[in-house]
Amino acid sequence: MPPAYGLPVPRIPHEPALGELLDVLVDTRLVTLTGPAGVGKSHLAARLAESVTDLPVHRADLSDCADAALVPQTVAAALHAGTAPGSGTDPMEAVLRLLAGRRGLLVLDTCERVRVGCAYLVGRLHDSCPGLQILMTSRSPIGVPGEYRVPLRPLSREQTVELLREKAAMQGVDLPVFWTRLLAERLDGDPLSVLLAARTLGKSVTPQQLYSSLCEPGARFGVLIHGPKDPARHRTLLRAIAWSHDLCGRAERLLWARLSAFTGNFTAEQVKTVFAGDGELAALIEASVVLPEDDGTFRLPLAHREYGQLLLEGLGRP
């Protein structure tokens, strides 16, 4: 799939209607939910799978698969209820045998670290299993023919307020409207940050203390640390952002750090003029690190910007 930079990117709400996504799967057979860290890709994929009642659903979590060559083995083990195929069995053939000639939905979750392996597997399945619909989650597209990308967007301000009050209430915290709105402004529409903020408030941190930390550059990474046990990459905000950083090449990491010097939105021309980073910008957009806006500009989400500023400090730059 070509890079998103320079091409129209679909504009959709934070969470599209499940019925619309089901229709897309029927029409295209191959859908990838993309978006930045913690935006809710896995959550939406799980909800979509739960809504499918007329087809068998298979799911494989690839978050612990660090080698693209092991993707077929990981998927085969998931399809066999956690038991890897027997010795001497080709994992790819095992997957094809189980799914060939059948209708169903296969969910491949967290594909970004093993995109090449996923592309190979999906290509084989697409050709050999015409009755199979495939839904993937990844911070960037997989890059196979026929792939339909659905980029998830951060929450709106009102959605952030609503979600923060809901999650805080689950922690036994009755969050005043005034502080809810102030905190929502600093959480930048990031659902993972909202969850972590609510859990932080549940640890007897006051809204004033949390807001003060969120206003201090980089301090959010020291307080948004009470995530769920699984997935491990979401236990802290720092882990989630570092996961994306680790997926970037050296030149992309450098541009990420440099882009954090922008305090607001920026244009592709500004990046080209100041940093000469056309290709790297395209890669960061494709990886959901840089987000396109409706007015043709781009931005780093606030957590990504503050992470980039920490990188700049490490590079000894102002």
Side-chain angles (χ1 to χ4, degrees), residues 7-287:
L7 299 177
V9 177
R11 310 299 297 176
I12 62 170
H14 164 72
E15 186 168 302
L18 295 181
E20 294 176 1
L21 279 179
L22 287 172
D23 290 342
V24 170
L25 272 169
V26 170
D27 292 338
T28 67
R29 288 185 53 212
L30 177 57
V31 172
T32 304
L33 304 179
T34 65
V39 78
K41 301 179 291 295
S42 297
H43 173 73
L44 179 56
R47 289 191 59 208
L48 183 63
E50 290 172 358
S51 71
V52 175
T53 57
D54 58 338
L55 293 174
V57 176
H58 310 281
R59 180 181 180 276
D61 183 355
L62 297 169
S63 58
D64 291 330
C65 182
D67 188 338
L70 296 179
V71 168
Q73 181 175 333
T74 303
V75 174
L79 297 178
H80 286 85
T83 304
S87 178
T89 303
D90 183 347
M92 178 63 74
E93 294 304 319
V95 173
L96 292 175
R97 271 200 310 273
L98 183 63
L99 298 177
R102 301 184 184 182
R103 297 177 65 242
L105 173 66
L106 174 63
V107 179
L108 300 177
D109 195 15
T110 316
C111 300
E112 55 261 25
R113 287 205 300 177
V114 286
R115 291 170 59 206
V116 173
C118 288
Y120 174 66
L121 174 71
V122 167
R124 293 287 303 274
L125 290 173
H126 190 273
D127 294 340
S128 304
C129 309
L132 187 67
Q133 297 163 322
I134 303 173
L135 175 66
M136 295 184 288
T137 72
S138 177
R139 299 191 188 184
S140 54
I142 303 305
V144 293
E147 179 181 16
Y148 185 90
R149 178 187 183 186
V150 178
L152 302 190
R153 304 293 298 173
L155 299 167
S156 69
R157 183 66 53 78
E158 290 305 314
Q159 288 174 318
T160 306
V161 167
E162 181 180 349
L163 182 62
L164 180 57
R165 284 186 61 83
E166 174 189 329
K167 295 300 182 182
M170 292 173 63
Q171 299 296 321
V173 177
D174 184 12
L175 191 59
V177 173
F178 173 77
W179 284 109
T180 305
R181 293 192 173 279
L182 281 181
L183 290 170
E185 182 178 349
R186 299 302 302 171
L187 294 171
D188 199 33
D190 174 31
L192 177 60
S193 291
V194 171
L195 171 63
L196 297 175
R199 289 183 171 223
T200 297
L201 292 169
K203 302 290 183 181
S204 299
V205 175
T206 68
Q208 297 94 320
Q209 291 170 331
L210 178 57
Y211 181 72
S212 177
S213 294
L214 294 177
C215 289
E216 183 181 344
R220 68 182 62 235
F221 298 117
V223 294
L224 300 182
I225 57 175
H226 302 290
K229 181 178 180 181
D230 293 311
R233 65 187 182 281
H234 286 174
R235 289 179 193 170
T236 71
L237 181 62
L238 183 61
R239 281 195 184 193
I241 305 300
W243 176 284
S244 289
H245 186 257
D246 290 344
L247 294 172
C248 295
R250 181 177 179 181
E252 291 135 29
R253 295 178 185 181
L254 179 58
L255 182 60
W256 180 344
R258 288 172 168 171
L259 292 177
S260 69
F262 287 111
T263 57
N265 291 11
F266 49 85
T267 66
E269 187 61 30
Q270 286 174 321
V271 174
K272 182 178 180 180
T273 300
V274 179
F275 302 124
D278 267 2
E280 292 77 16
L281 178 60
L284 290 176
I285 295 170
E286 186 169 89

